[in-house]
Every structure is written in structure tokens, then in C-alpha cells.
């Protein structure tokens, strides 16, 4: 099961909810998503196990925002999301 990055826009509120999801079996301990939406603060958005075999978390940002993020795994292991619009030296980038 590959990673999943889902965008859900709300025209009424002018926001977009980004859902970050990874297959639970591939995780070696806790994983959080950090980025420009949370000032790169670890453990603020921890992926939680779901009944569908995935672990996920969501954040809401204004439409028109460009978000840079990375996943932070157990032991300080950083990794990027191949579902992002692009991956740079700073991390995964997605425009909402």
C-alpha cells in the first residue's frame, strides 16, 4: 500500500484539508508530519492508526497555500512523500 496525500477543498470556508496517510505495517514506531503548517514542530501532528490499515493525520490550511513538509519517524528518521507535487531538498511540497 503506497502513501496517500489527499486534498479536500472547501469553497465555502476557503480552506483545504490535507490528509497525510502511510501504511501502518511500514512504520517502525511513531511518525509525525511536520512542516510549514506547524512551524516544523515534531509530535504536533502524529499519524494515528486507522481500521483500514493506514495511519493518518490531517491539517487545514487556507486555499492558495504552498505547504512544505516531511515525515519524522522514530529515532529522528526524516522521509518525504512521493505523492507530493514535488520533492525538494527542503522536503515534500504541495500547493493547495
Amino acid at each position: 500500500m503506497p502513501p496517500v496525500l489527499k486534498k479536500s477543498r472547501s469553497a465555502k470556508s476557503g480552506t483545504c484539508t490535507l490528509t497525510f496517510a502511510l501504511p501502518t505495517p511500514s512504520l517502525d514506531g511513531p511518525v509525525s508530519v511536520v512542516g510549514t503548517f506547524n512551524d516544523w514542530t515534531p509530535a504536533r501532528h502524529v499519524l494515528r492508526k486507522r481500521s483500514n490499515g493506514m495511519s493518518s493525520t490531517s491539517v487545514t490550511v487556507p486555499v492558495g497555500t504552498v505547504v512544505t513538509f516531511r515525515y519524522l519517524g522514530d529515532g529522528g528518521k526524516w522521509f518525504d512523500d512521493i505523492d507530493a507535487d514535488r520533492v525538494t531538498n527542503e522536503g515534500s511540497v504541495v500547493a493547495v
Side-chain angles (χ1 to χ4, degrees):
M1 223 180 295
V4 176
L5 177 59
K6 181 179 171 188
K7 302 175 193 178
S8 301
R9 291 188 179 148
S10 170
K12 186 175 183 179
S13 67
T15 61
C16 181
T17 300
L18 291 172
T19 301
F20 305 91
L22 297 170
T24 300
S26 69
L27 305 180
D28 293 331
V31 173
S32 59
V33 63
V34 296
T36 53
F37 52 85
N38 65 8
D39 294 323
W40 296 92
T41 305
R44 188 175 289 172
H45 293 95
V46 177
L47 277 67
R48 305 282 183 216
K49 290 182 184 179
R50 309 296 178 198
S51 61
N52 65 356
M54 300 293 279
S55 291
S56 66
T57 192
S58 297
V59 299
T60 302
V61 297
V63 169
T65 302
V66 175
V67 173
T68 303
F69 70 95
R70 296 191 87 190
Y71 294 105
L72 178 58
D74 203 27
K77 179 183 172 190
W78 292 94
F79 55 101
D80 295 306
D81 192 323
I82 59 171
D83 286 343
D85 294 338
R86 67 184 191 279
V87 177
T88 70
N89 291 337
E90 288 80 37
S92 304
V93 179
V94 63
V96 297

